[in-house]
Amino acid sequence: MNKNVSYIFVGLLLSAALAVSCGKPNKSGRTDTYSSGVISFASDESFSPIVEEERYIFEVVYPKAKVNPIYTSESDAMRMLLNDSIMLVITARDFKQAEYDNLKARRRVPISQKLAYDGLAVIQNNANRDSCIGVPDLKRILNGEATKWSDIYEHSRLGDITLVFDNAGSSAVHYAEDSILGGQPIGSKNVYATNSSPEVIDYVEQHPGAIGIIGSNWLNDKRDTTNVTFKKNIRTMRVSRFSPATLENSWLPYQYYLYNDNYPLIRTVYALINDPRKALPWGFAQFIASPKGQLIILQTGLLPMYGNITVRDVKVNN
C-alpha cells in the first residue's frame, strides 16, 4: 500500500473516531474524550524515552489532555490491562490469543496498533575487545551452554559471562525466550535483572565481563540528530545471524539496518488498547501512529511503522 494513502486513511479514521466518541452518552462515568481529560496508561520501561517524547508533544497539541505513564515491566503492564486498571499499554508484542479471548468474553474491545520497529541492542564493557557476536552464540549464553567468554572467543581472558536485563518480566526477556531460545526459558545461572535500562548500562560499564540486552533507543546520543552515535561509556556490539560473527556479516542497530532487515534482533512496538469509548487512550495511541507521531519516532532512533522512508547516501570527507 502506498504510505501516503495510508496516512490519509489514518487521518480519516481519527476524525470518525472523534465524532463517534464525542457523540456517545457516557454511561461509564468517564469524562475523557479523544483529545481531553486525564488518564493513566502503562508502558514497558524500555520504551520510556520515546513515550516521553510522544507524551510531551501530544499534550502540547491537545492542552486539555493529560496522559500519565506508568513505566513497568511488560508482564505487569499486561496484568493491569487485563484487570481493567488501564486501557492502553505500549509494549513489544501483540495480544496473546488467550488474552484477546479473555477480553472479548468480558465484552471488552481489544485492539492492537503497530507503532514502530525497535532494535534490541547488545552492549558490552569497553574492556571487551571482541565487538561482534552471532545469534547462535547469544543462544548458547542464554541457555547456559557458554558460561565464560573463552567459550565464545578462545583468546578472551575476561572470565565469566554475566547476562544483564532491565527487568525479570521485561519485553527484552520475553524476546530472548521467544525469539532467540525458541520458546524455552533462559537457562543461564549468570543472569542478573536490574530495575531499569539505565541500571543495565551502569552495570555493564562497571563490570568487564557483563553483557546487557536493552532497547536501542536508550543508547542514542541526544546531541546526534543522525542517531548513529551511541553512548561512549559502553560499546554496542555488532550482531550477526551467523557464527562466527565477523565485521562483514554483523550489524549495529541503526535505523537503516532495521529498515533493510540486516540487523537480526528486531521487534515490533505495539499499542494495545482496550477502550470501548475510543476516548483518550485511543486518541493518544492514534497520535503516535499519525504522521506527527511517526516523525517523533524517527527522530528518537526507532524505525517508524508508517510513512515513506527516504534513504540518502552521504559522503564524509575527513
Side-chain angles (χ1 to χ4, degrees):
M1 177 184 291
N2 183 282
K3 299 302 184 182
N4 289 326
V5 173
S6 71
Y7 272 162
I8 296 171
F9 184 59
V10 169
L12 290 174
L13 283 178
L14 296 183
S15 298
L18 177 56
V20 171
S21 67
C22 289
K24 283 185 177 180
N26 185 3
K27 297 180 181 180
S28 66
R30 289 172 57 190
T31 59
D32 60 298
T33 71
Y34 179 86
S35 58
S36 68
V38 180
I39 62 157
S40 294
F41 69 97
S43 171
D44 186 288
E45 182 272 338
S46 65
F47 299 123
S48 61
I50 188 169
V51 170
E52 281 300 303
E53 295 285 343
E54 297 282 0
R55 180 192 64 80
Y56 173 76
I57 299 300
F58 180 77
E59 292 178 354
V60 170
V61 174
Y62 300 107
K64 294 183 179 180
K66 180 69 175 176
V67 289
N68 298 314
I70 302 169
Y71 295 118
T72 185
S73 69
E74 181 179 82
S75 297
D76 287 343
M78 290 306 300
R79 276 194 287 270
M80 285 189 280
L81 186 71
L82 293 172
N83 291 336
D84 297 327
S85 300
I86 55 172
M87 297 183 185
L88 171 64
V89 167
I90 309 296
T91 191
R93 68 168 177 86
D94 202 345
F95 286 108
K96 296 179 180 179
Q97 190 61 49
E99 294 166 343
Y100 184 86
D101 292 343
N102 175 283
L103 291 169
K104 292 291 286 186
R106 293 188 285 127
R107 297 185 179 181
R108 305 299 193 266
V109 187
I111 298 172
S112 65
Q113 171 75 64
K114 292 181 180 180
L115 300 175
Y117 295 110
D118 175 41
L120 205 59
V122 181
I123 61 174
Q124 63 181 172
N125 186 279
N126 280 337
N128 192 337
R129 307 314 301 172
D130 296 291
S131 60
C132 302
I133 193 165
V135 173
D137 288 327
L138 279 176
K139 183 175 181 179
R140 293 174 60 215
I141 294 172
L142 288 163
N143 65 22
E145 180 182 340
T147 60
K148 297 181 180 296
W149 281 106
S150 58
D151 294 333
I152 305 296
Y153 313 106
E154 290 184 5
H155 60 271
S156 179
R157 298 181 180 179
L158 283 177
D160 292 339
I161 301 171
T162 303
L163 186 63
V164 191
F165 287 96
D166 51 348
N167 189 289
S170 73
S171 58
V173 170
H174 295 153
Y175 181 96
E177 293 176 336
D178 297 339
S179 299
I180 300 178
L181 291 176
Q184 299 299 313
I186 295 172
S188 173
K189 295 181 180 180
N190 294 330
V191 177
Y192 179 68
T194 65
N195 295 310
S196 66
S197 298
E199 290 185 17
V200 175
I201 296 172
D202 291 342
Y203 188 95
V204 172
E205 182 183 10
Q206 297 167 20
H207 296 81
I211 183 173
I213 300 180
I214 61 174
S216 62
N217 64 105
W218 275 99
L219 302 176
N220 292 322
D221 190 328
K222 296 296 185 181
R223 298 164 298 179
D224 178 17
T225 58
T226 63
N227 288 322
V228 296
T229 303
F230 292 127
K231 300 287 186 182
K232 302 299 191 301
N233 50 1
I234 50 92
R235 181 181 297 109
T236 305
M237 300 190 79
R238 300 170 68 96
V239 182
S240 172
R241 286 185 168 84
F242 312 105
S243 183
T246 66
L247 288 175
E248 290 74 22
N249 67 14
S250 304
W251 312 92
L252 288 165
Y254 295 156
Q255 287 170 324
Y256 178 65
Y257 299 138
L258 304 182
Y259 175 74
N260 64 16
D261 204 35
N262 279 341
Y263 191 72
L265 306 180
I266 301 176
R267 55 184 183 170
T268 304
V269 184
Y270 290 86
L272 302 183
I273 314 160
N274 180 30
D275 182 11
R277 294 183 60 244
K278 291 190 175 180
L280 194 51
W282 172 267
F284 182 53
Q286 295 308 305
F287 173 81
I288 301 175
S290 73
K292 188 183 293 291
Q294 293 290 287
L295 180 59
I296 296 170
I297 284 174
L298 181 67
Q299 292 172 338
T300 53
L302 275 68
L303 185 67
M305 179 62 63
Y306 310 105
N308 291 322
I309 303 297
T310 301
V311 178
R312 295 189 179 98
D313 290 329
V314 179
K315 294 182 180 180
V316 178
N317 295 321
N318 294 325

